[in-house]
Amino acid sequence: MLIDNAQQREEAMQCQKCHAPLGADEAFEFAGRTLCEDCYMDALSPTRVCDPWAVYLGSRQVEQILSPAQEKIMGLLRQHKALAPEDLRRLSGLTAKELEREIAALRHMELLRAAQTPDGGKVLKQFGDRD
C-alpha cells in the first residue's frame, strides 16, 4: 500500500529495511514498516529457491528467454564448470540479493543446480552436468 498520509510521508524519508533514502511518493508500508519499492516487492514476493510449481512451469516453457544477468551466470558456469556462490557473485558483479533471485529463476527453469563438494561446501553447476 502506497503511503498517502502527508505526515507519514514526511517522516518516512528512509527505507526501514535497506535504509535507502525515499522521496515522498516512493514510500510503501508493509507490516508496519516503511519500505522502498524494491524492499516492498521483496516482502510481497520473497525468493523461493525450492518451489515445485515454479519448477514445473519453468522447465516446460517452449522457449526460455534469459535476462542479461542470467546469460552472464550461465556463461560463467559454462566457462568454469562449477562455482561457489560467493565466486559467482564476485565474477558476475551482482549483489547477493540479485544473485539469489537469478539463481532461483534458473533453478526453476532447470538450467542450474547446486552440488555438494567433497569438503561439504556448495557449488553451482549447469543442470545437466553430473558430479
Side-chain angles (χ1 to χ4, degrees):
M1 149 192 311
L2 189 62
I3 294 178
D4 57 5
N5 179 303
Q7 182 180 0
Q8 284 179 312
R9 284 193 303 232
E10 286 287 320
E11 295 169 359
M13 300 311 288
Q14 185 177 29
C15 175
Q16 292 179 330
K17 183 174 179 190
C18 73
H19 308 292
L22 298 174
D25 61 342
E26 298 173 328
F28 293 82
E29 187 170 318
F30 183 79
R33 296 175 71 193
T34 302
L35 304 173
C36 65
E37 185 175 6
D38 289 341
C39 291
Y40 179 69
M41 294 307 296
D42 284 345
L44 290 178
S45 179
T47 302
R48 292 178 49 190
V49 175
C50 212
D51 184 344
W53 186 244
V55 171
Y56 175 79
L57 293 174
S59 65
R60 281 152 182 78
Q61 292 177 358
V62 174
E63 183 180 357
Q64 293 177 327
I65 300 171
L66 303 182
S67 71
Q70 292 166 347
E71 288 283 358
K72 187 168 195 169
I73 290 167
M74 295 307 295
L76 287 167
L77 290 176
R78 281 190 290 278
Q79 181 182 356
H80 295 277
K81 300 296 181 204
L83 286 167
E86 57 274 6
D87 294 331
L88 186 55
R89 187 194 59 72
R90 182 179 46 78
L91 291 169
S92 68
L94 298 171
T95 67
K97 189 70 172 173
E98 291 168 334
L99 183 63
E100 179 183 12
R101 282 202 173 273
E102 300 301 343
I103 287 172
L106 291 167
R107 286 186 68 178
H108 294 158
M109 291 185 266
E110 294 187 337
L111 295 175
L112 177 146
R113 69 182 185 88
Q116 193 167 11
T117 61
D119 64 356
K122 180 172 88 171
V123 294
L124 299 166
K125 299 177 152 197
Q126 291 184 77
F127 191 78
D129 288 352
R130 292 292 149 209
D131 298 326

